[in-house]
Amino acid sequence: MPTAFGSLRRLLLTPSLRDVTFERRGFPVTATDATRRLEAVPQSVVCGFEWGIDAQDQWEVERRLDLVEPEMRGFAYEGATMAFTILDAMGPRRGDRTRRLLLGPGRPHIFLAYIGIGFAMARLPRQLWKKAVPDLTGSPYHPTMSWLAVDGYGFDRAYFDTRRWVDRQERPAPYAWEGSPGYFLRAVDQGIGRALWFIHGAVATEVAAAVGRFASGRRADLWSGVGLAAAFAGGCDPAGLAQVRRLSGEHHADLAQGAVFALKARHYSGCVPAHTAAAAEAFAGLSVEGAVALADDCAVDPGTRGEVPSYELWRRGVRHHFTAPAGVSQS
């Protein structure tokens, strides 16, 4: 059962399901069965957040999450992670709830869980960001994939303040995430690219036009975000996916890289929907197994430290697969 204080937090912090619909957000989307399914993604996040912010114990949250259909369960874990991150960051003990969740039942959803941490960051003052990511020693993807938290921050800002971050194309002040303030802005753009997929209802021409309105130096990361969102969340039929592939033009490798990361995340969670497999074929020309193998082959030791974040080295390795001339080694 929820606590009285938990219920108050929920009322103060949780958006309603209607608040995250495309119509309420003012997105230029025609309602269809496909867009309603796409809207279910942020609504699943809201449900997970409500359960996390309101519940008396973690078991209850885990049980509720288990009842979500497998295709949407990772998004609900995003929301629960967002809630636990806020509670941990504002409390005396750093990362306790979030660590237990992500090293326990949330482990298969670690990629989306990092994004949920980013959603929390969008609601926390920057001085608390250092408390946002718990110590996940033991996970092979920590801290490399913690950059997905920055991606999640960018997505959240674009989704909920579209006029500022998409229409006016403003950028946040750099932040020394993992010691790389310059790359922070790139990771934010990857999240904005994901948001464009939702803002324009997965309509290929509209998404491509939106990316094209940004400065040329930002488009590669935006297209990577589009590829990740299209492959992970769906919303587009095979003909539409083929059109996205054509419209990506010189940024095809970035689009494909995003799709490969989505395939890796979906496969790791244990649920690869048909639309995810279709995107792997359309964007990357790979089977599910081929995409996962490519991601694994290009993975970087999480202990790697250098001027370029290990996350970007991993992305770069995947992109190289799609840009290297035939017959040239990918190693």
Side-chain angles (χ1 to χ4, degrees):
M1 294 292 292
T3 64
F5 187 47
S7 296
L8 178 60
R9 286 194 304 256
R10 173 171 52 81
L11 289 172
L12 291 174
L13 295 173
T14 311
S16 70
L17 294 184
R18 191 176 299 278
D19 284 340
V20 298
T21 62
F22 298 161
E23 180 181 13
R24 180 62 65 88
R25 304 284 3 123
F27 298 161
V29 174
T30 300
T32 64
D33 288 342
T35 59
R36 279 186 284 272
R37 184 68 176 173
L38 201 58
E39 279 180 321
V41 170
Q43 290 174 335
S44 297
V45 175
V46 169
C47 289
F49 181 82
E50 284 189 332
W51 299 334
I53 207 73
D54 201 19
Q56 192 168 13
D57 59 59
Q58 185 168 315
W59 179 88
E60 182 176 329
V61 177
E62 294 171 7
R63 184 65 186 122
R64 289 175 184 265
L65 293 169
D66 282 345
L67 297 175
V68 178
E69 63 174 282
E71 185 178 330
M72 292 291 176
R73 189 173 299 151
F75 300 117
Y77 265 96
E78 275 188 33
T81 304
M82 173 186 171
F84 282 8
T85 301
I86 289 174
L87 294 174
D88 284 340
M90 298 179 70
R93 293 177 296 178
R94 176 179 175 180
D96 284 0
R97 297 176 183 83
T98 312
R99 183 188 302 109
R100 289 198 304 271
L101 183 70
L102 301 189
L103 292 181
R107 184 184 294 265
H109 306 288
I110 184 67
F111 298 92
L112 287 188
Y114 277 124
I115 291 173
I117 290 173
F119 293 165
M121 288 161 51
R123 288 153 183 81
L124 292 170
R126 284 196 173 200
Q127 58 265 36
L128 292 182
W129 283 10
K130 62 182 180 296
K131 298 175 65 176
V133 180
D135 180 5
L136 298 178
T137 300
S139 169
Y141 302 109
H142 183 78
T144 303
M145 298 305 287
S146 73
W147 282 101
L148 284 172
V150 183
D151 177 306
Y153 170 78
F155 178 98
D156 184 284
R157 296 299 75 213
Y159 196 94
F160 288 104
D161 195 354
T162 309
R163 181 169 299 178
R164 180 179 179 184
W165 302 104
V166 176
D167 296 344
R168 298 204 300 267
Q169 300 177 13
E170 294 186 28
R171 308 190 84 177
Y175 181 87
W177 192 269
E178 288 291 304
S180 300
Y183 194 76
F184 176 83
L185 297 179
R186 291 193 56 189
V188 167
D189 277 350
Q190 292 155 29
I192 292 174
R194 282 197 306 114
L196 293 178
W197 184 253
F198 289 82
I199 290 168
H200 294 283
V203 176
T205 53
E206 297 301 320
V207 173
V211 173
R213 287 191 285 271
F214 280 80
S216 59
R218 302 179 65 180
R219 293 174 196 164
D221 287 313
L222 295 169
W223 274 114
S224 175
V226 169
L228 199 155
F232 204 104
C236 196
D237 62 20
L241 292 173
Q243 190 174 27
V244 173
R245 162 65 180 88
R246 290 194 300 273
L247 292 171
S248 67
E250 64 179 313
H251 296 295
H252 164 243
D254 303 290
L255 178 78
Q257 177 272 312
V260 168
F261 268 33
L263 262 292
K264 173 61 183 176
R266 276 292 194 185
H267 186 267
Y268 192 70
S269 76
C271 176
V272 182
H275 68 252
T276 301
E281 174 60 36
F283 295 168
L286 295 170
S287 65
V288 172
E289 294 75 15
V292 172
L294 175 60
D296 289 343
D297 288 346
C298 295
V300 177
D301 186 323
T304 301
R305 292 290 184 271
E307 185 175 340
V308 179
S310 56
Y311 178 67
E312 176 56 24
L313 292 176
W314 193 358
R315 296 176 73 247
R316 186 179 294 177
V318 173
R319 287 197 305 272
H320 182 69
H321 175 86
F322 301 101
T323 56
V328 175
S329 171
Q330 308 299 319
S331 61

